[in-house]
Amino acid sequence: MSTSTPLPPEALDDWLAVLAAGLDLDPADVPVGALLDVARDVAHGVARPAAPLSTFLVGFAAARNGGTAADIEQACATATRLALAWPATHPTETR
């Protein structure tokens, strides 16, 4: 069990800058708002544990499709569309 304390919300930008640098990415290329929106929609529409996995898949798909801002936007839009449709297509009793 981890004894560290969670990252306070105001430190998010600092953490993302450090992580992006560690992954050799430009923080300006990370669409934080879009990714957080996907995570929110998936967590509320599908299941909380699906949120981090979904954002990983969004990034993976965007990278495989070229990695441009448009590729990221398309992957986010697809994930959001599917997450918002999930409750209607997968009733609670079958989830």
Side-chain angles (χ1 to χ4, degrees), residues 12-58:
L12 181 60
D13 290 338
D14 292 339
W15 163 244
L16 291 175
V18 169
L19 180 58
L23 296 172
D24 197 26
L25 298 171
D26 182 348
D29 293 335
V30 180
V32 174
L35 291 169
L36 290 176
D37 288 347
V38 167
R40 177 201 61 224
D41 293 338
V42 171
H44 293 179
V46 181
R48 290 184 77 143
L53 300 171
S54 298
T55 55
F56 170 81
L57 289 176
V58 162

Side-chain angles (χ1 to χ4, degrees), residues 58-90:
V58 162
F60 190 59
R64 288 192 65 185
N65 290 316
T68 67
D71 297 320
I72 298 169
E73 289 175 26
Q74 179 61 42
C76 285
T78 298
T80 294
R81 178 179 49 79
L82 293 171
L84 294 176
W86 186 264
T89 59
H90 296 80

